[in-house]
Amino acid sequence: MKLYGMTDSGNCYKPRLLFAKLGIPFEHVETSSRDGTTRKPDFLAMNPNGKVPLLELDDGRFIWESNAILLYLAEGTRFLPDDPYERALVHQWLFFEQYSHEPYVAVRRALSRYPERAAQATPERMAAALEGGNRALGVMERQLSQTPFLTGEGLTVADIALYAYTHDAQIGGFDLPRFPAVSAWLARVAQDSGHVPMDSAG
């Protein structure tokens, strides 16, 4: 399989991390959304939404959206439960990641990290992102104070999805030591077999 993505993107890190934990070989194609590559006709023919990550299957079909790629790769593995309720909990946290976590934690990280976005980092926007991100981290803290992983005893794609932008949230100015259960969870995810850092392309 072929994975189009940016090495320094948390959303693109998610499927790379799962590939590594599953021990599945893949080809990484560095593809930037910041230089216009994803808006070119050849890329839009693969993903009309013009974003990465994008997974190309062996048969030439495509899957886009990071969490959809995670769910596809995790099918039939330890990272996605068979039980309907437990599977629903995984989906619950994936939706949480996209709607309550990523818009604040990932966005504040991007505004802090990329010079081309500095003009968008107004005090008001940064404050709102900090507030929203801390609220999301607080929700995770409450759950991870009760269970070792987000859906219970085992690591799932829910953990991988939320690990991606949480593990370097300090880049965006988040004080992770304020969330000891989240910090301990980050260590557990990193200690799981097959783990690779974010700067590993594949």
Side-chain angles (χ1 to χ4, degrees):
M1 288 180 278
K2 187 179 296 185
L3 184 68
Y4 300 82
M6 298 166 54
T7 302
D8 63 349
S9 160
N11 280 326
C12 297
Y13 176 40
K14 296 176 197 177
R16 293 201 315 272
L17 180 54
L18 183 55
F19 266 123
K21 288 183 178 294
L22 290 171
I24 298 175
F26 69 99
E27 178 185 352
H28 172 77
V29 181
E30 188 70 21
T31 308
S32 177
S33 62
R34 297 198 298 271
D35 64 5
T37 299
T38 60
R39 304 306 303 174
K40 293 179 179 178
D42 57 343
F43 189 86
L44 291 172
M46 299 185 290
N47 178 4
N49 201 28
K51 294 181 179 181
V52 287
L54 170 68
L55 180 65
E56 182 177 355
L57 305 181
D58 291 335
D59 61 8
R61 291 180 296 172
F62 298 97
I63 302 174
W64 34 282
E65 294 296 331
S66 59
N67 290 346
I69 295 171
L70 289 182
L71 289 170
Y72 175 81
L73 294 174
E75 192 66 44
T77 75
R78 66 184 176 102
F79 297 101
L80 189 61
D82 292 326
D83 178 80
Y85 175 74
E86 293 179 0
R87 185 177 284 236
L89 292 182
V90 170
H91 289 130
Q92 166 188 281
W93 285 105
L94 292 179
F95 289 126
F96 168 86
E97 189 267 340
Q98 286 291 284
Y99 289 102
S100 299
H101 183 281
E102 195 269 357
Y104 306 108
V105 176
V107 167
R108 202 172 198 277
R109 170 187 179 272
L111 292 174
S112 302
R113 180 168 186 167
Y114 302 121
E116 65 269 24
R117 299 195 63 178
Q120 303 171 40
T122 63
E124 295 79 10
R125 189 174 186 188
M126 294 297 279
L130 184 64
E131 179 182 1
N134 280 329
R135 185 167 54 248
L137 291 169
V139 172
M140 294 171 65
E141 179 74 13
R142 285 191 289 276
Q143 179 61 45
L144 292 166
S145 297
Q146 303 171 50
T147 57
F149 297 101
L150 288 167
T151 63
E153 296 299 315
L155 187 148
T156 71
V157 288
D159 299 283
I160 289 175
L162 279 151
Y163 178 87
Y165 280 117
T166 302
H167 87 285
D168 66 354
Q170 288 172 307
I171 293 175
F174 292 95
D175 183 12
L176 288 178
R178 281 184 52 194
F179 306 96
V182 170
S183 297
W185 163 79
L186 288 171
R188 284 192 292 275
V189 175
Q191 290 163 4
D192 184 73
S193 62
H195 191 84
V196 293
M198 189 171 181
D199 58 6
S200 173

